[in-house]
Amino acid sequence: MPYKKEATTGLLTFIVIILLFMSTFITDEGHVTIVKSFGEAKTQVNPGLHFKTPFVETTEEIEVRTRQNKEVMSSSTAEQMPVQVAVAVNWTVQRDSALDLYKEYGGLAQFENRILDPRLRSAVKAVIPKFEAEQLIQDRSTAIMQIEALLIEEMATFPIKVGDLQIENIALPPKYLASIETKQTEKNLAAAEEHKLARQKLEAQRDVNTAKAKAEGIDAVARAEANAIKVKGLAEAEAIQAKAKALRDNPLIIKLTEAQNWDGKLPTTIMGEGSMPIMDIRKQ
């Protein structure tokens, strides 16, 4: 009997532990959990530890972080050239609407397969034929914006948010790619030549400007020197005129000038007046 009692107690303890384990669940960060009662979705709970009724309630997690879907599809360009396009789109389930999404579509995988992917393919096939192959390669961003705008419009009524969209790859026939590369190389060479010519023109203009500035500098110096000579000449002329006027107005200035210039020696001869001979007054 004691062994039977211990076995029963152990069994009951095990059952209680199992029931406790079945009564709790944890919702991971970045997810919400849909709680179902006999298979019917009833409520959703946020990350953390939660309780449920064993054998009655079951749970299923829904990711509410950003997800990415990729599609590779065939289409054609505006000139009817076959093209294969690889597109990726980021999208997020609106946290508060996860229960509605689950009730309506049964989960993320079903929503992607039934709703998102078909509309993504449709948007890509609606936009790509508007572009010629060369334009599609060189102006990929415009095609991306148009596809993204169309997809956002198509998904506006669903409980998700469409994020960034990217065209990851554009596969065209190899011969056409080679012709595009050749054309691009020619454009690059032409652009390089134009740049070279523009640079040469700029350098020539710079030399002209330098020569012009140098000539203007020389001309300015010459003008300054000529003006200085002119000013000096005018000053000297004015001085001569002033001196002549002073001599006219005062004859004694002449005597004064002679006196200032006399070297202190008496003349050695005196010229007589009339018939008087010239006398030598030097000492014998």
Side-chain angles (χ1 to χ4, degrees):
M1 292 292 295
Y3 294 108
K4 244 174 157 183
K5 186 176 181 181
E6 289 180 0
T8 303
T9 302
L11 179 61
L12 290 175
T13 302
F14 178 75
I15 292 174
V16 170
I17 293 173
I18 294 297
L19 289 175
L20 286 175
F21 179 78
M22 294 176 62
S23 300
T24 61
F25 65 93
I26 295 175
T27 302
D28 294 328
E29 192 64 49
H31 297 72
V32 297
T33 295
I34 305 300
V35 180
K36 297 180 289 183
S37 178
F38 294 111
E40 181 183 359
K42 291 291 188 179
T43 186
Q44 70 179 56
V45 295
N46 293 323
L49 177 64
H50 303 279
F51 295 92
K52 63 179 179 176
T53 304
F55 307 110
V56 175
E57 294 181 328
T58 55
T59 62
E60 186 170 337
E61 277 194 344
I62 298 289
E63 186 178 21
V64 292
R65 291 178 299 197
T66 298
R67 299 168 61 86
Q68 186 178 78
N69 273 43
K70 295 184 179 182
E71 286 288 330
V72 179
M73 66 205 75
S74 298
S75 184
S76 59
T77 62
E79 65 268 47
Q80 299 301 312
M81 182 172 297
V83 59
Q84 190 175 64
V85 183
V87 181
V89 62
N90 295 325
W91 64 285
T92 309
V93 175
Q94 296 176 5
R95 181 183 292 270
D96 296 338
S97 302
L99 179 61
D100 296 333
L101 184 143
Y102 186 85
K103 285 182 176 181
E104 187 71 23
Y105 305 104
L108 296 183
Q110 293 89 332
F111 179 80
E112 289 173 347
N113 294 332
R114 293 167 53 191
I115 304 299
L116 181 61
D117 292 345
R119 283 165 175 76
L120 175 59
R121 290 191 292 267
S122 176
V124 173
K125 291 183 178 181
V127 171
I128 294 300
K130 297 179 181 179
F131 293 82
E132 294 184 355
E134 184 175 358
Q135 183 185 10
L136 190 60
I137 292 176
Q138 296 179 355
D139 191 16
R140 184 179 300 190
S141 60
T142 301
I144 289 173
M145 288 189 294
Q146 291 187 18
I147 296 171
E148 188 175 290
L150 185 57
L151 182 62
I152 290 174
E153 182 181 354
E154 288 288 326
M155 301 300 297
T157 59
F158 297 96
I160 70 164
K161 179 181 178 181
V162 176
D164 296 333
L165 183 143
Q166 294 294 327
I167 296 178
E168 296 187 339
N169 187 49
I170 299 173
L172 291 164
K175 290 184 179 180
Y176 184 76
L177 289 176
S179 68
I180 290 180
E181 290 178 359
T182 301
K183 187 183 295 185
Q184 188 61 43
T185 300
E186 292 174 352
K187 287 183 178 180
N188 292 340
L189 291 174
E193 188 64 26
E194 289 180 3
H195 177 72
K196 182 179 179 181
L197 292 174
R199 183 174 180 181
Q200 290 175 348
K201 183 178 179 180
L202 181 62
E203 290 176 352
Q205 185 62 45
R206 183 180 59 192
D207 293 339
V208 169
N209 292 339
T210 301
K212 183 178 179 181
K214 186 175 180 181
E216 289 176 351
I218 294 173
D219 182 66
V221 171
R223 288 177 181 274
E225 291 178 350
N227 188 57
I229 293 171
K230 181 179 179 181
V231 171
K232 182 178 180 182
L234 290 173
E236 290 178 351
E238 289 177 359
I240 292 171
Q241 289 178 1
K243 188 173 182 181
K245 186 175 182 301
L247 290 175
R248 286 197 308 271
D249 295 342
N250 193 353
L252 292 177
I253 293 178
I254 297 175
K255 298 296 183 182
L256 177 60
T257 302
E258 291 176 349
Q260 289 175 344
N261 293 331
W262 182 49
D263 58 3
K265 297 180 181 180
L266 294 173
T268 56
T269 58
I270 298 176
M271 180 69 75
E273 295 181 0
S275 59
M276 184 178 292
I278 296 175
M279 295 178 62
D280 187 355
I281 64 174
R282 290 177 295 181
K283 292 183 180 180
Q284 300 294 326

